[in-house]
Amino acid sequence: MAKNLVFVVLGLAIALLVVFSATPSKATSNDPAVYAWEYLTPGSDRLVCQKISLHLKSLPATTTTHSQPIHTHSQIVGDRFCADLTKPLSF
């Protein structure tokens, strides 16, 4: 019984040591991109594959806000980028 208790306490101590000493990994991409099926224009029935990029605007941080503005950019790309995505239903 005491032997099991020692192993449980030791295991818990090791787990807590790993959790509190590990640092989170850094993001590998500065400009993430998402591919999606979108309509060409509002009211259009033509679907195109678009690459939507998100760019953080580098502004000085203030004490009142902890967020940064994001600039989005979309670009029409080839259908092969959206090949594994389901197209939305058009009526």
Side-chain angles (χ1 to χ4, degrees):
M1 172 90 176
K3 186 177 175 181
N4 289 339
L5 184 61
V6 169
F7 283 122
V8 168
V9 170
L10 186 62
L12 184 60
I14 291 172
L16 289 174
L17 179 68
V18 169
V19 167
F20 289 121
S21 66
T23 58
S25 63
K26 301 291 182 194
T28 57
S29 174
N30 293 336
D31 298 324
V34 176
Y35 295 95
W37 288 109
E38 297 288 336
Y39 289 102
L40 185 60
T41 57
S44 174
D45 60 348
R46 182 173 171 216
L47 285 171
V48 293
C49 180
Q50 286 190 351
K51 175 184 176 182
I52 303 167
S53 303
L54 306 173
H55 306 281
L56 287 175
K57 290 184 179 180
S58 57
L59 295 176
T62 63
T63 57
T64 58
T65 62
H66 299 289
S67 60
Q68 291 181 325
I70 296 177
H71 174 71
T72 59
H73 176 73
S74 64
Q75 175 184 5
I76 297 174
V77 294
D79 290 350
R80 65 184 173 96
F81 292 100
C82 296
D84 59 340
L85 301 174
T86 305
K87 284 187 178 181
L89 295 174
S90 57
F91 297 99

